[in-house]
Amino acid sequence: MTREAGKTGRGPVTGRRAVLFGGLGLVTAAAVAGREEIARAWWLLPGTSRPRVEGALDHAGANWTAASPANWRLADRPEDYRVDRIVVHVTQGGFESSVNAFKNPWHKASAHYIVRQDGHVEQMVRELDVAYHAGNRSMNERSVGIEHVGFVDRPKDFTDAMYASSARLAADICRRYGIPADREHLIAHSEVPGADHTDPGPLWNWDRYLTLIRAELTAVPGGTSQARPS
């Protein structure tokens, strides 16, 4: 027993105070540690949204046209949802009609990208957001959707330029999110659980596509990959 405790009889009280302030110190430390996380996620609160840059691109060389906000959902991927899949689609229509469909709020669907036969890439939803492309909420949240202009039963639509451009895009996505370039992680729309679509169909050359993607991944980056903009 200390001298002060012997004179005042407050030894136990002092001990409780030390425990109290020690506990407050732990709470304060926890609050400080969590401040960065709170600051990062404030836009996830109801009624708020993360600041966006209009027309910002995730893939260098793409063109931007915004899909209707009714056809996608604000998110902050990969912080809130892990991105580990790419879903391959075929539009079953032309380029302009596909762009217009994704701009139409009544369409209730979109994809992150559309790739044309000449290799042109149109981005319509930011990768950090959830596009309604797979017909499965969980898959939408974890994947990037790439549409390819054409019809599943028309092999001439799947051109060399389309394969090459889509492979550069897919490799860029794989590189940024650490997605393996294999058939477990690059899947057909028809393979999504619960899907009632048949695209990209049996004429889509998966072996060729994956070979091109892997070649892009092993090559020295030539400007097709960039950091996610805000």
Side-chain angles (χ1 to χ4, degrees):
M1 182 180 290
T2 67
R3 186 175 175 214
E4 287 297 315
K7 289 176 66 176
T8 64
R10 291 186 175 181
V13 174
T14 303
R16 286 196 297 272
R17 185 180 300 165
V19 170
L20 172 62
F21 283 104
L24 289 175
L26 290 174
V27 171
T28 301
V32 171
R35 190 176 301 156
E36 182 179 346
E37 179 66 15
I38 292 170
R40 183 193 68 78
W42 68 268
W43 62 83
L44 299 178
L45 297 173
T48 63
S49 61
R50 183 181 183 183
R52 305 299 175 95
V53 177
E54 182 65 26
L57 296 168
D58 294 297
H59 178 67
N63 187 67
W64 173 260
T65 299
S68 168
N71 298 332
W72 55 274
R73 188 174 86 238
L74 281 170
D76 183 36
R77 305 189 312 168
E79 281 77 10
D80 49 2
Y81 301 107
R82 178 184 61 182
V83 178
D84 63 0
R85 295 290 189 277
I86 295 173
V87 180
V88 175
H89 303 259
V90 170
T91 61
Q92 291 297 96
F95 176 75
E96 293 297 335
S97 63
S98 300
V99 169
N100 289 335
F102 292 168
K103 290 168 61 179
N104 181 353
W106 300 105
H107 188 61
K108 303 302 181 186
S110 65
H112 296 92
Y113 296 98
I114 302 176
V115 182
R116 211 162 54 193
Q117 281 97 350
D118 63 359
H120 172 87
V121 177
E122 197 79 12
Q123 182 169 5
M124 300 197 67
V125 179
R126 289 290 303 280
E127 289 177 16
L128 76 170
D129 294 322
V130 176
Y132 303 153
H133 65 97
N136 177 297
R137 177 171 179 167
S138 177
M139 187 60 69
N140 284 340
E141 291 171 344
R142 72 189 300 179
S143 66
V144 174
I146 304 176
E147 288 276 3
H148 299 84
V149 176
F151 294 85
V152 296
D153 58 351
R154 202 159 68 182
K156 68 177 184 179
D157 290 342
F158 305 145
T159 64
D160 293 345
M162 173 183 282
Y163 274 115
S165 182
S166 183
R168 284 191 296 271
L169 169 60
D172 193 14
I173 296 166
C174 289
R175 187 181 296 115
R176 282 185 276 107
Y177 299 103
I179 302 173
D182 58 36
R183 285 289 281 117
E184 179 182 352
H185 296 87
L186 283 93
I187 67 172
H189 188 187
S190 60
E191 295 170 335
V192 174
D196 59 358
H197 288 243
T198 61
D199 57 311
L203 299 179
W204 182 259
N205 191 330
W206 282 102
D207 289 339
R208 178 184 184 185
Y209 189 49
L210 291 173
T211 297
L212 289 169
I213 293 170
R214 290 164 183 159
E216 290 286 339
L217 288 171
T218 56
V220 176
T224 60
S225 179
Q226 61 182 29
R228 265 180 57 218
S230 61

